[in-house]
Amino acid sequence: MGEKLLVIDEGTTSTRAMLFAPGGKCLGSHSADLTQHYPRPGWVEHDASEIWRRTLECASAMVAEAGGPDTIAAIGITNQRETIVFWDKSTGEPLAPAIVWQDRRSAALCRKLKEAGEEPGVQARTGLLLDPYFSGTKIAWAMEHWPQLRGAGARLAVGTVESWLVWKLTGGLHITDATNASRTLMMGLGSGGWSDGLVDMFGCPRDALPEIVDCAGQFGTTPVFGGSIPICGMAGDQQAATIGQACFARGDTKATFGTGAFVLTNAGTTPPSSKNRLLATVLWQLGGRRTYAIEGSVFVAGSLIQWLRDAVNLIETAPETEAIARSVPDNGGVYLVPALSGLGTPWWEPDARAAISGLSFSSTRAHIVRAALEAMAHQSHDLKTAFAADGADWARLRVDGGMVTNNWLAQDLADVLDLPVDRPDFAETTALGAAMLAGVGSGLFANLEEATKMRGPEVAFEPKLDAEARTRRLAGWKAAVERVIR
Ligand code: ADP
């Protein structure tokens, strides 16, 4: 048996296949863009056939480069979460477009269910909120509006993206892992399986749903690459990144700073419940036992830098923000609250709009750019406060994503959070987490702890800001946010 690990990383805008040596070295990758379909404002769809074709292309190229299927110990899959696929069990072909996580078409249904007082019960059972983001209300919408789904009867299969890929790879195995299932609004967070009451609430035929399984194990084998390769790891992308960042102890936290920022804190083995509108979710399931996470997100992270570059023309490139921020000794009293699409946790003010405040004649472009970067640490600090109030305070912060290549930003996070911030040299933590799970599932590693030998070196940023300056920053931000909310 080979010992390389093949990862399929099914993102929102692209599909990737990556190959890892058991020591963690990345041996290569292939990627292909995915077409985004926007049939109406607020709607986002993918063609599930295209997802499969691109996966086959990228993974086949990677298997060939590896030296054939016999060199590969196992496949790990990680995927865009919440996106939902509908297919025909007899033909294995999609019956409708895949509805993507960003899609807002079920907003009216969410409002209706909230008005009917359903949210507290749904949150207590699933750890989630009634938002179009999650799969359940997307399924309800599809069952109502797409007659071919009802017409398919017992032939209908419903599943998230990893479930669809496993079906195609194995020729008919219908499973989903517990992390992906925990984003559907239909799985009891603490219980083993689907909740009949919730499945009924969203009008999903029970027999259309996959079996919920662990994140690592011998799930099935695929013949599609010419030999037989076992599929041994599965997790949603944010959970895989949290595993790739080795957040194995309660309180361990990772933050991914991409377009937006996603933060997950390991919450241990008892299902958490949030009083601060954070999400409770499955971090992994192994041997039938679940470990949980509290999850929060910042809507605007790297997109603020894109906005400064593309809409305001204040900068030419994202990386130059680092030198610009360093060119001034402090923010000069300038704060930028990036509520470009409302304010999320813990403020929850969808109608708030962004503002730059504290400007004077001495303010320069550098102060505004610096304030934009500083907003990342401040938004993270607001999240940390909410996590702490839910009993999931952060011990230290492990960061990844495109924004934290910015050293100034990584140091500012450490300073404002007053925590050490760790940044791995190998940035692809999502793929690494999927490889670690596949390594555990295939028996290459006895457990996740052993799989951490796949992780490479990291840089630690220690907090250095003096207490007075930090207090001033926090107070300045709070005042700036209050101006935006009022
Ligand atoms: P995603 O996975 O969401 O596409 P990435 O993790 O690739 O995002 O990160 C890209 C984002 O990071 C972009 O929004 C970009 O503006 C921002 N970014 C990239 N490099 C830097 C940098 N050096 N400083 C600040 N922001 C950066």
Side-chain angles (χ1 to χ4, degrees):
M1 182 182 99
E3 50 173 32
K4 291 173 187 159
L5 296 165
L6 175 64
V7 168
I8 295 171
D9 180 356
E10 202 60 66
T12 308
T13 56
S14 71
T15 294
R16 271 193 319 166
M18 289 176 86
L19 194 68
F20 288 89
K25 186 167 189 296
C26 179
L27 303 170
S29 79
H30 280 267
S31 72
D33 286 344
L34 277 180
T35 316
Q36 312 292 311
H37 300 273
Y38 304 106
R40 291 191 200 180
W43 290 27
V44 189
E45 295 177 349
H46 283 164
D47 173 1
S49 299
E50 187 192 5
I51 292 181
W52 169 237
R53 275 198 315 276
R54 301 277 173 254
T55 302
L56 203 53
E57 265 166 47
C58 294
S60 300
M62 210 62 264
V63 172
E65 208 174 303
D70 296 343
T71 64
I72 294 173
I75 294 176
I77 301 174
T78 181
N79 58 294
Q80 49 164 315
R81 306 176 300 173
E82 297 98 12
T83 298
I84 196 85
V85 184
F86 307 90
W87 69 96
D88 186 320
K89 288 179 184 172
S90 58
T91 64
E93 295 303 320
L95 285 162
I99 306 181
V100 178
W101 59 272
Q102 296 140 316
D103 190 292
R104 309 301 293 175
R105 76 184 68 191
S106 58
L109 175 61
C110 290
R111 261 196 308 278
K112 201 170 109 193
L113 289 169
K114 274 197 220 174
E115 279 161 19
E118 297 285 1
E119 190 166 75
V122 169
Q123 190 188 14
R125 278 183 281 176
T126 65
L128 308 177
L129 301 168
L130 281 170
D131 189 276
Y133 177 30
F134 305 107
S135 324
T137 59
K138 297 182 199 292
I139 296 171
W141 187 96
M143 292 307 296
E144 189 185 336
H145 292 86
W146 286 333
Q148 73 271 31
L149 301 188
R150 291 191 303 277
R155 289 182 289 111
L156 175 67
V158 175
T160 40
V161 170
E162 89 300 348
S163 182
W164 162 243
L165 291 178
V166 170
W167 179 287
K168 295 300 278 182
L169 283 164
T170 59
L173 180 66
H174 199 197
I175 56 174
T176 183
D177 81 278
T179 68
N180 275 293
S182 79
R183 317 295 295 183
T184 60
L185 283 171
M186 296 188 294
M187 188 190 82
L189 192 60
S191 73
W194 302 111
S195 150
D196 288 335
L198 291 167
V199 171
D200 282 352
M201 180 186 288
F202 299 113
C204 182
R206 179 68 184 75
D207 294 341
L209 288 171
E211 180 194 349
I212 300 171
V213 300
D214 282 358
C215 296
Q218 299 278 347
F219 301 125
T221 56
T222 179
V224 301
F225 304 110
S228 172
I229 309 180
I231 301 167
C232 296
M234 290 191 286
D237 53 10
Q238 295 306 322
Q239 280 88 341
T242 312
I243 292 166
Q245 288 273 31
C247 293
F248 298 153
R250 212 173 154 192
D252 285 354
T253 302
K254 76 91 204 180
T256 301
F257 288 88
T259 309
F262 287 93
V263 181
L264 272 79
T265 296
N266 182 320
T269 50
T270 309
S273 70
S274 173
K275 293 180 183 57
N276 296 280
R277 295 185 75 75
L278 297 169
L279 305 174
T281 201
V282 175
L283 179 50
W284 65 73
Q285 178 178 309
L286 293 172
R289 293 200 58 215
R290 288 180 187 166
T291 295
Y292 298 93
I294 300 252
E295 176 174 330
S297 48
V298 166
F299 299 152
V300 177
S303 54
L304 178 63
I305 306 304
Q306 286 167 324
W307 178 79
L308 287 181
R309 187 191 60 196
D310 302 337
V312 194
N313 294 326
L314 206 60
I315 54 171
E316 276 176 23
T317 67
E320 75 179 359
T321 55
E322 178 164 350
I324 297 174
R326 283 189 205 283
S327 72
V328 283
D330 57 34
N331 64 16
V334 176
Y335 288 86
L336 196 167
V337 180
L340 295 160
S341 53
L343 268 183
T345 318
W347 311 99
W348 298 108
E349 294 279 352
D351 299 324
R353 283 299 169 262
I356 302 173
S357 60
L359 294 170
S360 69
F361 278 119
S362 62
S363 309
T364 64
R365 172 178 90 117
H367 292 112
I368 297 174
V369 170
R370 183 165 169 139
L373 291 184
E374 287 186 355
M376 301 305 133
H378 286 301
Q379 295 185 102
S380 303
H381 185 267
D382 288 344
L383 271 184
K384 181 180 185 291
T385 307
F387 274 67
D390 273 342
D393 202 1
W394 307 350
R396 53 197 296 142
L397 187 66
R398 298 175 188 170
V399 296
D400 50 58
M403 275 199 109
V404 295
T405 53
N406 185 317
N407 291 314
W408 187 90
L409 173 57
Q411 181 60 48
D412 197 52
L413 283 167
D415 286 343
V416 170
L417 296 172
D418 201 19
L419 285 179
V421 166
D422 303 311
R423 183 186 68 194
D425 292 351
F426 181 67
E428 303 292 347
T429 55
T430 304
L432 183 66
M436 287 163 66
L437 286 170
V440 171
S442 63
L444 269 181
F445 307 120
N447 49 40
L448 282 178
E449 283 71 20
E450 206 182 302
T452 52
K453 66 168 76 140
M454 292 191 79
R455 299 187 76 230
E458 52 190 20
V459 190
F461 295 84
E462 298 292 335
K464 287 194 190 126
L465 194 65
D466 65 74
E468 198 192 315
R470 184 169 173 271
T471 308
R472 201 166 47 241
R473 283 274 305 273
L474 293 176
W477 170 258
K478 187 158 180 279
V481 168
E482 278 164 6
R483 275 195 284 275
V484 159
I485 289 173
R486 277 201 210 111

